Amino acid sequence: MRIVLLGPPGSGKGTQAQRMEKRYGVPQISTGDIFRKAVAAKSELGAKVATYLDAGALVPDDLTMSLVRERLAQEDAERGFILDGFPRTVPQAVGVEEILREHGWELDAVINISIPTDVLVSRLTMRRVCPSCKTIYHMVDHPPGPNGLCTVCGTPVDVRPDDNVETIKKRMAVYSAQTAAVVDYYRKKSALIDVDGGAERDKVFDSIQKALEEKRRSRERRQ
Ligand code: AP5
Ligand code: MG
Ligand code: ZN
C-alpha cells in the first residue's frame, strides 16, 4: 500500500495517517514530524529547517527531497508507506515519481482531504500532541486525560509551536499558493480520491477505507 495524503493544515492528515498505519501495517511518513523531531534534537537538519517551520513557510524542495529519498530507502518502506504532508509543491510531486521509478514502485492512491477553511483555525489552536507516541488530541472534542496526560502513554501533551493564529494563517496562505497546485497535478492524472474531512474522525476513516477498497477492486477488474 503506497499512499499520498494531501490536505490543508488541520484537515486531519495526521489523524487519518495514524489510523491507516495501524490498519494497513505500513509506516506513516510525515515530513512535518521528521522536521520537528530534527528541531527538537537540535541536529544539523534541525538547525537548517527551524526558521521555516517557525514562520509557517515551506522547507526548500532540495532539502525536503533528499530527506524523503533517504527515508524511502529504509527497510520498513519496502512494504509500503503513507506519505503525510508530502509532496507539497509540484517539483516535489515530480521528484517523488522519480524516486518511485527507481524502486520500481507505483502509488496506489492519492487521497485529498478537503475541509472548509473556517474550521481550521479552531482545530489547530485546540490541538495538542503527545511528544512521545504522537497521538493527536483536540481540547474540546478529543481531549487528553486528566492533567493533560496522553491517554496512551502518560506523557504530558504539547502545543505545537506553529499552532498560533498568526502562523496558522501563514500556513493556510502557503497551502493556497504552493500546495493546492499539487491537488490539480494529481487530479489531471486521474489519481485523486476526494474525502470530506469535515465529517467525524471515524467517518472520514471509513470513507478512506471504502475508496481504497473500490480502487483495489477496479484495478483487479482491469487485470
Ligand atoms: P505538517 O506537520 O505537515 O503540518 P500541516 O500540513 O500544517 O498539517 P497539520 O499537521 O497541522 O494538520 P493535519 O492535517 O495533520 O491535522 P491533524 O490530524 O493533526 O508541516 C509542518 C511544517 O513543516 C510546514 O509548515 C513546513 O514548514 C514543513 N513541511 C512539512 N512538510 C513539508 C514539505 N513536504 N515541504 C516543505 N516543507 C514541509 O488534526 C488537526 C486537529 O484537528 C487535531 O486537533 C485533531 O484532533 C482535529 N481533527 C482531525 N480530524 C478531525 C475531524 N474529522 N473532526 C474534528 N476534528 C478533527
Ligand atoms: Mg499533521
Ligand atoms: Zn503518548
Side-chain angles (χ1 to χ4, degrees):
M1 180 79 72
R2 298 183 195 95
I3 306 283
V4 164
L5 259 186
L6 303 173
S11 55
K13 301 182 294 296
T15 299
Q16 298 304 325
Q18 288 179 1
R19 283 165 159 76
M20 293 167 77
E21 183 176 64
K22 282 202 193 87
R23 168 74 175 77
Y24 299 113
V26 295
Q28 167 200 17
I29 300 181
S30 155
T31 38
D33 282 350
I34 296 172
F35 290 142
R36 276 185 292 279
K37 200 168 158 197
V39 173
K42 298 188 165 48
S43 68
E44 206 177 307
L45 172 69
K48 283 187 195 154
V49 302
T51 51
Y52 298 103
L53 266 73
D54 287 346
L58 293 186
V59 172
D61 283 342
D62 53 349
L63 193 52
T64 304
M65 285 315 305
S66 63
L67 179 125
V68 170
R69 178 178 287 280
E70 247 175 61
R71 180 63 188 85
L72 289 178
Q74 286 173 25
E75 210 182 314
D76 63 342
E78 272 171 34
R79 279 178 290 125
F81 43 79
I82 300 143
L83 292 174
D84 160 3
F86 172 90
R88 253 173 151 94
T89 64
V90 172
Q92 288 183 13
V94 173
V96 78
E97 272 172 17
E98 191 186 309
I99 300 176
L100 293 172
R101 241 190 334 268
E102 286 166 14
H103 285 276
W105 294 337
E106 267 180 39
L107 289 178
D108 292 291
V110 180
I111 298 168
N112 179 41
I113 309 180
S114 57
I115 177 101
T117 48
D118 57 343
V119 305
L120 296 180
V121 173
S122 78
R123 275 199 185 182
L124 291 174
T125 50
M126 290 291 136
R127 174 168 57 188
R128 299 294 182 273
V129 184
C130 172
S132 176
C133 73
K134 305 290 170 215
T135 300
I136 301 166
Y137 296 95
H138 184 283
M139 289 313 280
V140 178
D141 68 8
H142 184 50
N147 303 318
L149 298 182
C150 175
T151 54
V152 179
C153 75
T155 308
V157 299
D158 275 348
V159 176
R160 246 170 67 173
D162 58 348
D163 277 349
N164 58 79
V165 175
E166 193 192 342
T167 314
I168 291 167
K169 293 207 161 136
K170 180 74 198 296
R171 284 155 59 201
M172 287 162 66
V174 166
Y175 174 85
S176 302
Q178 294 175 267
T179 308
V182 177
V183 177
D184 296 336
Y185 176 86
Y186 286 118
R187 200 180 298 286
K188 279 189 192 125
K189 288 175 169 275
S190 309
L192 208 65
I193 294 172
D194 283 296
V195 171
D196 172 16
E200 203 272 316
R201 290 170 183 78
D202 289 340
K203 287 229 169 77
V204 179
F205 187 47
D206 275 351
S207 318
I208 291 175
Q209 290 184 92
K210 282 193 185 119
L212 289 176
E213 180 59 19
E214 176 51 36
K215 196 143 188 140
R216 190 185 64 79
R217 281 209 210 100
S218 74
R219 214 176 9 244
E220 278 178 5
R221 278 197 297 272
R222 279 201 308 273
Q223 276 165 6

